[in-house]
Amino acid sequence: LERFDTTSVEEDPINSMGVAGMIGNTWCWCKDKLRPYRGYVSDTDDEDYVMERCGVECVVRGGSWCSSRMSLTKYQRRSVLPESRKHLTGFRIVEK
């Protein structure tokens, strides 16, 4: 996947759970509010921007069609306001 491009789910390999295309076309909304990782320490003396967003913004993961190839991973995490309606975010429907 190159930056500013999308891929078909049919092009992705199927993982061990039998699904494909879970990362890359849109940042995926998570139900979690942003919280710092255990042991988080700010690396600046400025007002801590991360801590201001905690408990307010929601987590999105994975990357989107305009992310660089290196940042498209399940570990990539960002946060957005719950009312945000950007074209870079989407969701996956999961059936239990």
Side-chain angles (χ1 to χ4, degrees), residues 31-45:
K31 71 175 185 172
D32 306 317
K33 295 282 187 177
L34 180 66
R35 299 278 181 231
Y37 286 124
R38 185 176 298 138
Y40 171 79
V41 178
S42 176
D43 58 359
T44 68
D45 292 331

Side-chain angles (χ1 to χ4, degrees), residues 3 8 12 31 60 64 67 75:
R3 194 172 178 154
S8 168
D12 289 346
K31 71 175 185 172
V60 292
S64 75
S67 299
Y75 305 107

Side-chain angles (χ1 to χ4, degrees), residues 2-18:
E2 294 299 324
R3 194 172 178 154
F4 304 116
D5 194 14
T6 59
T7 60
S8 168
V9 173
E10 295 169 353
E11 296 173 24
D12 289 346
I14 295 174
N15 70 17
S16 62
M17 294 187 298

Side-chain angles (χ1 to χ4, degrees), residues 79-92:
S79 66
V80 293
L81 290 169
E83 62 270 14
S84 176
R85 299 295 180 258
K86 299 187 185 266
H87 63 285
L88 304 177
T89 55
F91 61 93
R92 308 281 182 202

